[in-house]
Amino acid sequence: MNHDGVRLDTLIRLLHQAYDAAFEEALADRSTTRVELVMLSVLARAAQPMTWDALESAMGPRYSAVACTEAWNALAVAGWAVEPDGLYAATDAGRDVVDDLDEERERIVARATEGLSEDEVATAIVALRGMLANLSA
């Protein structure tokens, strides 16, 4: 199959890098990091305040205990999370940050798909899902 010399893997990598750069800028604009956002998202989506062990477990193996502690400290200083009675929870301000960054993700996608028809975007999604399925098999 000829792709006019354009390597699909290169395009995917470039798109990923461009998306990450745009999102990193959004995080920097809010003086936060990815690990802080992950922790804040876990707290914001929790039905009730969490124990530290439950919070650390929800962060997954990607984040060390040190990274979790540093993220917590930053969230507490920012006023985005609190620890009442030994349980950890997002504040309303923290939930607002999560909502704002979720909306920012949508704005980034909108910028990325600007000028493309709905059919073109739908075709791209189907094609990319198919490629992911092929590589996951």
Side-chain angles (χ1 to χ4, degrees), residues 1 5 10 12 14 18 28 32 36 54 56-58 74 87 89 99 107-109 115 121 126 129 137:
M1 182 184 283
T10 300
I12 291 169
L14 289 172
T32 194
E36 292 164 8
E56 252 189 331
S57 178
L87 297 175
D99 291 344
R107 287 189 289 271
I108 292 168
V109 170
V121 173
V126 168
R129 283 184 178 153

Side-chain angles (χ1 to χ4, degrees), residues 15-30 34 101 104-105 107-109 111-112:
L15 180 59
H16 184 264
Q17 289 170 350
Y19 179 88
D20 275 355
F23 195 66
E24 287 295 330
E25 186 177 314
L27 290 169
D29 287 347
R30 290 153 185 86
R34 283 186 191 263
L101 285 165
E104 186 62 31
R105 282 187 181 105
R107 287 189 289 271
I108 292 168
V109 170
R111 278 182 24 221

Side-chain angles (χ1 to χ4, degrees), residues 4-134:
D4 298 329
V6 176
R7 291 189 49 132
L8 184 61
D9 58 331
T10 300
L11 288 173
I12 291 169
R13 187 172 42 256
L14 289 172
L15 180 59
H16 184 264
Q17 289 170 350
Y19 179 88
D20 275 355
F23 195 66
E24 287 295 330
E25 186 177 314
L27 290 169
D29 287 347
R30 290 153 185 86
S31 300
T32 194
T33 66
R34 283 186 191 263
V35 65
E36 292 164 8
L37 176 59
V38 170
M39 180 174 280
L40 189 55
S41 296
V42 167
L43 291 167
R45 291 181 175 96
Q48 58 193 16
M50 306 174 76
T51 65
W52 181 256
D53 289 341
L55 177 56
E56 252 189 331
S57 178
M59 292 292 290
R62 180 175 182 187
Y63 301 107
S64 69
V66 171
C68 289
T69 299
E70 290 173 352
W72 170 258
N73 290 336
L75 296 175
V77 166
W80 296 344
V82 293
E83 180 196 350
D85 303 322
L87 297 175
Y88 298 79
T91 63
D92 289 340
R95 285 184 196 84
D96 289 345
V97 169
V98 171
D99 291 344
D100 184 44
L101 285 165
D102 284 345
E103 290 170 10
E104 186 62 31
R105 282 187 181 105
E106 294 300 320
R107 287 189 289 271
I108 292 168
V109 170
R111 278 182 24 221
T113 57
E114 188 175 323
L116 301 175
S117 71
E118 287 185 31
D119 287 344
E120 288 171 320
V121 173
T123 298
I125 290 170
V126 168
L128 291 170
R129 283 184 178 153
M131 287 181 231
L132 285 170
N134 290 342

